[in-house]
Each structure stands twice: as C-alpha cells, then as structure tokens.
Amino acid sequence: VIAAKGGANQVQINHNIKKTLAKVVDYVPEKREDKTAYCRCWKSKTFPHCDGSHNAHNKESGDNIGPLMVPKS
Ligand code: FES
C-alpha cells in the first residue's frame, strides 16, 4: 500500500498505470465490434481493458472487484 499525500486514511489505488499523467481518463469507443471489458481494479497490464488480473486481487484480498462490461454497439 502506498500512502497518499492527503492523510493517513487515503491510499493510492493506481500503482502503475500512466503515472506521468495528472489524471487517467479513457473513453469508450462509440463503435464497438464486440463486447468489451474495462478494468476497474487498476491492475490490468492491458489497461483500460480488463486482462483478468482482478481475479488474483480478489483471491488475495477477499475483495469482489470485476470489470465494466460494455456491449457491442
Ligand atoms: Fe481490472 Fe479485470 S483486470 S477489472
């Protein structure tokens, strides 16, 4: 766990993704050929797409995080 500047009760959840940016913002494409899974755990190596890394996180932590599923457009 990495402590953030804001106080003892705040922690960073993004440890690796686009850390040079002030804010990570991604857009869902308007046209999609297939359904797409977008990461919400910040652990995917293919961010913003889910690569299943949430499964290991959930197993280790007891958490229940899963991806945002966006259907074909
Ligand atoms: Fe992050 Fe699946 S890898 S939600």
Side-chain angles (χ1 to χ4, degrees):
V1 174
I2 300 172
K5 293 179 187 174
N9 293 329
Q10 298 179 351
V11 295
Q12 292 183 3
I13 58 171
N14 177 15
H15 299 288
N16 302 308
I17 298 165
K18 302 177 185 177
K19 293 301 283 185
T20 57
L21 301 178
K23 184 187 299 183
V24 179
V25 177
D26 294 293
Y27 293 88
V28 175
E30 210 168 292
K31 296 286 182 193
R32 293 173 304 281
E33 307 252 333
D34 205 351
K35 73 177 180 183
T36 307
Y38 288 93
C39 178
R40 294 193 297 179
C41 74
W42 293 87
K43 296 182 181 298
S44 175
K45 292 180 177 51
T46 60
F47 196 90
H49 299 102
C50 172
D51 70 353
S53 294
H54 60 270
N55 291 313
H57 165 78
N58 288 344
K59 190 172 183 178
E60 292 169 9
S61 67
D63 214 337
N64 64 349
I65 297 172
L68 169 67
M69 300 300 297
V70 180
K72 178 181 175 181
S73 58

